[in-house]
Amino acid sequence: MQSGNKPAERADAAAFTAPKNATRVRFGVVALLFFATGINYLDRTNISISGTFLREDLGISGVQLGSLLSAFTWTYVAATFPFGLLLDRFGTQKFYALMVLAYSLATLAMGFATPGLLGSVALAFGVLFACRLLVGLSMAATYPAHSKIAAMWLPPQERARGIGIYSAGQYLFIALLTPLLTLLMGPFGWPSVFIVTGCIGLLVGVVWWIRYREPRNQPRANQAELDYIRRRPGESGESVVPDTSRPSRAEYVHFFKHTKFWLLALGAFAVSSIMYFFLTWFMVYIQMVLEVSPTKLSMLSPFPYLCAAAGVVLGGTCSDLLFKRGFSLVNARKLPIVGGLLISSLIAFAGSLESSPILLITLMSVTFFFNAFSNMLWTVLSDITPSKLLGTVGGIFNVCSNLPGIITPLIFGAAIDHFGNFHTALYYLGVLAVVAALCIAFGLRDVEKIRYPGAQ
């Protein structure tokens, strides 16, 4: 890692604070993103919460249930790039709200896809499958949009902490609402999970439509705040109006020739590989190796997710604090990423603790905490990407970070089929985390924006 700091960057970062007369609309944007991120991830995982009940009610096989679980990821990954292009073209103001409303409606519709209402199991299954495809499709633009919104509303010295705060929503919503939704299924059945989460999503979408505006169209933000969020420490403290012109093909080609982007993509792939283990196989793994009852499982499972929620907030806060304390921006970003990846690689040793429930859950909680702590890649992406490219660049980056949603479950499934345990798959996660950490530690030398020669 680089040890030197840029004097101008240090001095400007230390003195760069929001004016006292500045409004704080940007904090409201972070709050909106927190709830939007939370319902986003809850709608991704709600079918795993209801999976056992749904399978029994419809009488479907494990393979059919697996196809429902995977349908989301296939359309999500396939649509991320084209939806990123649409995001660059139409902006985040209304387009994002429409996407939230779309996947919430698709989720709500799943609550009515029952054999009793539709007349047959085959039709109910077909509607559920189609709705999962629609959920993945309409969520494809969400994370590129988050990155674009954060880049517009949060200056670099606040960005990592802001992204960490709203990203915590994805883990907190799962940890806090999963037990409640499980209890709800007792008297009301599995459709209640989709009806409740769909209605919450519709509420978030409506609030987003009414309240969110991009900085140039936000009447509640005064000029002092707009000047503050447009300035970047290290660039002479001058206000910079984001370039909103339409990007050219040459600008995209120039950007993707840089190794910085691909290093971040590798890091995102490694971070997401561990994350998708916790989103897909974790509860099955714990139940199999510890042989615990569903009740005890519901008591143990929230701990890693709560730790992840703390980790994602503290990772961003740590990065911003390091920057304000005089570390160069690149080192303030790299330290949480590299350190978090190295510690989360300890998941490779989980197999040796399977005889001790307390130690295994502790290791998993530590792993997920530091996995979330290292999840600074979207922050760095917004640091290096010109704002007018963020929709498309974020779309491709989102593909890289969500391919593990397809690959990781398959690797764990193959491991249990071929070896009778999860050890080989856990080794894979550990090695991948170490490789990514070393590549970023020695390969990422700066986080300056990748600008096309002659561009603003």
Side-chain angles (χ1 to χ4, degrees):
M1 292 186 186
Q2 296 176 358
S3 58
N5 294 326
K6 298 178 182 180
E9 189 177 66
R10 281 204 313 271
D12 200 26
F16 200 80
T17 57
K20 291 183 178 180
N21 64 331
T23 50
R24 298 185 176 185
V25 177
R26 63 193 185 283
F27 298 156
V29 172
V30 172
L32 283 173
L33 285 169
F34 173 85
F35 286 100
T37 303
I39 193 60
N40 184 299
Y41 264 74
L42 193 61
D43 280 356
R44 297 183 192 207
T45 58
N46 54 14
I47 195 168
S48 64
I49 298 171
S50 60
T52 301
F53 293 86
L54 187 151
R55 182 183 177 188
E56 292 175 355
D57 187 31
L58 270 64
I60 59 177
S61 67
V63 173
Q64 289 173 308
L65 179 59
S67 68
L68 286 177
L69 290 167
S70 64
F72 162 86
T73 310
W74 285 102
T75 52
Y76 183 81
V77 170
T80 293
F81 176 68
F83 271 50
L85 290 172
L86 291 175
L87 190 63
D88 281 340
R89 185 175 183 85
F90 297 109
T92 59
Q93 192 156 299
K94 300 299 184 184
F95 183 70
Y96 181 84
L98 287 173
M99 294 300 100
V100 176
L101 293 170
Y103 69 69
S104 299
L105 283 171
T107 298
L108 181 63
M110 293 178 70
F112 298 95
T114 65
L117 289 175
L118 298 179
S120 72
V121 170
L123 184 56
F125 180 83
V127 172
L128 286 169
F129 189 83
C131 287
R132 285 297 287 177
L133 291 174
L134 289 173
V135 170
L137 183 69
S138 49
M139 280 190 184
T142 54
Y143 258 68
H146 292 178
S147 184
K148 197 176 183 76
I149 292 165
M152 285 190 295
W153 272 104
L154 300 175
Q157 68 274 17
E158 292 181 357
R159 191 173 300 154
R161 179 175 54 181
I163 291 177
I165 290 171
Y166 76 67
S167 295
Q170 67 194 47
Y171 305 117
L172 282 175
F173 270 55
I174 294 173
L176 299 179
L177 292 182
T178 295
L180 296 176
L181 292 170
T182 302
L183 291 174
L184 198 64
M185 281 191 293
F188 300 107
W190 61 263
S192 62
V193 173
F194 302 107
I195 292 172
V196 170
T197 54
C199 287
I200 295 173
L202 288 174
L203 178 61
V204 171
V206 170
V207 172
W208 192 280
W209 181 278
I210 295 171
R211 298 293 291 177
Y212 178 75
R213 298 290 184 274
E214 293 183 352
R216 65 181 183 273
N217 298 324
Q218 180 52 268
R220 293 182 294 117
N222 64 15
Q223 192 59 46
E225 183 177 26
L226 294 177
D227 289 341
Y228 174 64
I229 65 177
R230 287 169 180 168
R231 293 171 63 192
R232 178 184 175 89
E235 294 182 359
S236 304
E238 296 178 357
S239 295
V240 178
V241 178
D243 184 4
T244 58
S245 62
R246 190 172 180 179
S248 66
R249 180 180 178 183
E251 288 176 282
Y252 285 121
V253 171
H254 176 78
F255 183 91
F256 289 116
K257 283 183 178 179
H258 278 257
T259 57
K260 282 192 291 190
F261 172 81
W262 299 108
L263 286 170
L264 295 181
L266 173 62
F269 186 90
V271 169
S272 293
S273 293
I274 296 176
M275 181 192 73
Y276 270 106
F277 161 72
F278 282 97
L279 295 181
T280 56
W281 278 97
F282 170 68
M283 295 184 72
V284 176
Y285 170 70
I286 293 299
Q287 194 166 22
M288 288 181 63
V289 302
L290 299 183
E291 298 181 350
V292 297
S293 65
T295 301
K296 191 172 182 179
L297 179 65
S298 66
M299 295 172 61
L300 293 173
S301 60
F303 288 104
Y305 298 101
L306 291 173
C307 288
V312 76
V313 174
L314 291 176
T317 302
C318 176
S319 176
D320 284 346
L321 183 61
L322 289 172
F323 183 50
K324 290 179 180 179
R325 291 294 175 89
F327 281 72
S328 64
L329 187 59
V330 62
N331 283 339
R333 298 303 194 225
K334 281 204 300 186
L335 283 170
I337 295 172
V338 174
L341 278 169
L342 289 175
I343 297 175
S344 63
S345 71
L346 294 175
I347 195 173
F349 300 101
S352 62
L353 301 177
E354 290 175 355
S355 60
S356 175
I358 294 177
L359 290 178
L360 182 59
I361 293 296
T362 300
L363 176 64
M364 288 297 179
S365 298
V366 170
T367 295
F368 209 10
F369 173 88
F370 280 100
N371 173 258
F373 188 86
S374 68
N375 198 8
M376 297 275 304
L377 287 310
W378 279 99
T379 305
V380 183
L381 184 73
S382 66
D383 288 332
I384 70 170
T385 310
S387 59
K388 65 178 178 178
L389 303 182
L390 262 175
T392 302
V393 170
I396 294 176
F397 191 77
N398 207 33
V399 170
C400 297
S401 64
N402 281 281
L403 281 175
I406 300 171
I407 297 171
T408 298
L410 294 177
I411 289 176
F412 273 82
I416 195 66
D417 285 345
H418 286 84
F419 303 108
N421 58 56
F422 295 90
H423 298 173
T424 303
L426 292 169
Y427 295 150
Y428 160 76
L429 294 180
V431 170
L432 181 60
V434 171
V435 170
L438 294 176
C439 288
I440 291 173
F442 296 104
L444 187 64
R445 299 184 180 277
D446 66 77
V447 290
E448 297 297 324
K449 286 200 184 293
I450 303 174
R451 299 189 185 278
Y452 184 69
Q456 206 176 22

